[in-house]
């Protein structure tokens, strides 16, 4: 109900996975098993909280009635997990994530696997989710983990000039290899996927000009 009519897209980058960590001692096998437990859904009003809400609703669960939501930061959640005051934590971040690594190493937790059928159901009311595989090598797991993910996107405003948006778009893509050297989550970013999953939000004309020059429509 709060549409931003000036929102424009520069580029779609990479898929950002939901990483749902739960304590191993509780033998939790699915999101439904979290019913009645204290669970960290992230800071109030955060993307993480909205992600958790959407996923639980896809199961017919109310985040405020069927679980006891702890609205805290990942660092606070780690402390609560170690003291066994919560059953798990929801983290949405590029993999590998330093917070996820710390939790797996110090809090005796595991990452929940989400069934592809569930992600298909999730998309009935929340378009844009994709299946995402967290390879076992990412966190030294015994097996790959399937979860949900949505694209990370660079946004701007229609107030930005076409020339400025064009230069930003060009600068990003033409220096991508240098960026990849300092940020692991960018390793699979490719310009051919620059318009992936952007939905109905329009491209900024400056970005569109650059992509047309590169033959991307």
């Amino acid at each position: 109900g709060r549409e931003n009519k000036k929102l424009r897209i520069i580029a779609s980058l990479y898929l950002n996975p939901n990483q749902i960590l739960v304590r191993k001692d509780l033998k939790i096998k699915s999101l439904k098993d979290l019913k009645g437990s204290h669970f960290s859904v992230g800071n109030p009003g955060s993307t993480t909280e909205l992600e958790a809400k959407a996923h639980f609703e896809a199961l017919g669960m109310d985040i405020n009635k069927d679980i006891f939501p702890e609205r805290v930061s990942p660092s606070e959640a780690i402390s609560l997990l170690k003291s066994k005051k919560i059953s798990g934590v929801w983290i949405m971040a590029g993999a590998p994530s330093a917070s996820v690594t710390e939790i797996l190493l110090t809090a005796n937790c595991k990452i929940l696997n989400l069934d592809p059928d569930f992600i298909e159901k999730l998309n009935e009311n929340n378009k844009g989710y994709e299946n995402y595989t967290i390879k076992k090598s990412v966190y030294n797991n015994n097996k790959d983990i399937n979860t949900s993910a949505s694209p990370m996107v660079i946004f701007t405003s229609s107030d930005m000039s076409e020339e400025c948006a064009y230069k930003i778009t060009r600068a990003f893509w033409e220096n991508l290899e240098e960026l990849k050297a300092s940020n692991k989550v960018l390793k699979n970013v490719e310009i051919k996927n620059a318009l992936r999953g952007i939905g109905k939000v329009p491209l900024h004309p400056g970005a569109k000009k650059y992509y047309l020059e590169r033959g991307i429509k």
Side-chain angles (χ1 to χ4, degrees):
R2 294 179 292 172
E3 181 181 1
N4 181 352
K5 294 184 178 180
K6 290 187 175 183
L7 198 64
R8 298 294 183 269
I9 286 176
I10 294 288
S12 179
L13 303 181
Y14 56 89
L15 289 174
N16 205 35
N18 285 294
Q19 300 175 70
I20 308 156
L21 293 108
V22 295
R23 284 166 38 203
K24 290 181 180 178
D25 62 304
L26 297 177
K27 303 187 186 304
I28 296 168
K29 296 181 179 180
S30 70
L31 285 175
K32 282 188 174 181
D33 293 337
L34 289 166
K35 187 172 184 177
S37 70
H38 288 264
F39 181 80
S40 172
V41 296
N43 289 318
S46 65
T47 300
T48 306
E49 182 186 19
L50 294 175
E51 289 289 326
K53 182 174 182 289
H55 284 65
F56 281 112
E57 284 180 349
L59 293 169
M61 296 171 67
D62 186 316
I63 195 174
N64 294 307
K65 295 179 180 179
D66 292 311
I67 66 170
F68 297 96
E70 300 290 342
R71 293 177 169 88
V72 297
S73 68
S75 59
E76 292 174 290
I78 292 171
S79 177
L80 293 173
L81 278 169
K82 289 179 179 178
S83 59
K84 297 187 176 182
K85 292 181 179 178
I86 59 174
S87 57
V89 57
W90 197 294
I91 292 178
M92 190 183 197
S97 158
S99 294
V100 172
T101 299
E102 182 177 353
I103 291 168
L104 292 174
L105 290 175
T106 65
N108 192 32
C109 289
K110 65 179 181 180
I111 305 173
L112 278 185
N113 188 80
L114 298 183
D115 192 273
D117 290 341
F118 168 69
I119 295 171
E120 186 175 334
K121 182 176 180 60
L122 181 64
N123 271 310
E124 290 177 4
N125 294 315
N126 304 274
K127 302 295 184 184
Y129 286 106
E130 296 186 31
N131 282 288
Y132 183 97
T133 301
I134 301 175
K135 296 292 186 181
K136 60 183 180 181
S137 59
V138 173
Y139 296 116
N140 294 318
N141 289 321
N142 294 325
K143 58 183 180 180
D144 294 345
I145 296 166
N146 191 74
T147 188
S148 61
S150 53
M152 288 294 286
V153 180
I154 300 176
F155 292 104
T156 188
S157 168
S158 59
D159 291 336
M160 178 180 284
S161 71
E162 181 174 328
E163 180 184 8
C164 184
Y166 174 84
K167 287 181 177 179
I168 288 173
T169 309
R170 184 179 66 186
F172 176 80
W173 291 110
E174 294 183 4
N175 293 279
L176 182 58
E177 293 309 312
E178 184 177 347
L179 291 170
K180 286 182 177 182
S182 61
N183 193 331
K184 291 181 180 180
V185 298
L186 295 175
K187 65 180 180 180
N188 294 319
V189 173
E190 297 179 86
I191 194 170
K192 68 180 183 181
N193 297 321
L195 308 183
R196 177 183 190 173
I198 64 174
K200 296 181 180 179
V201 182
L203 272 174
H204 192 288
K208 184 176 182 179
K209 178 182 176 182
Y210 179 76
Y211 293 130
L212 289 175
E213 289 179 357
R214 296 291 301 268
I216 297 171
K217 299 178 181 180

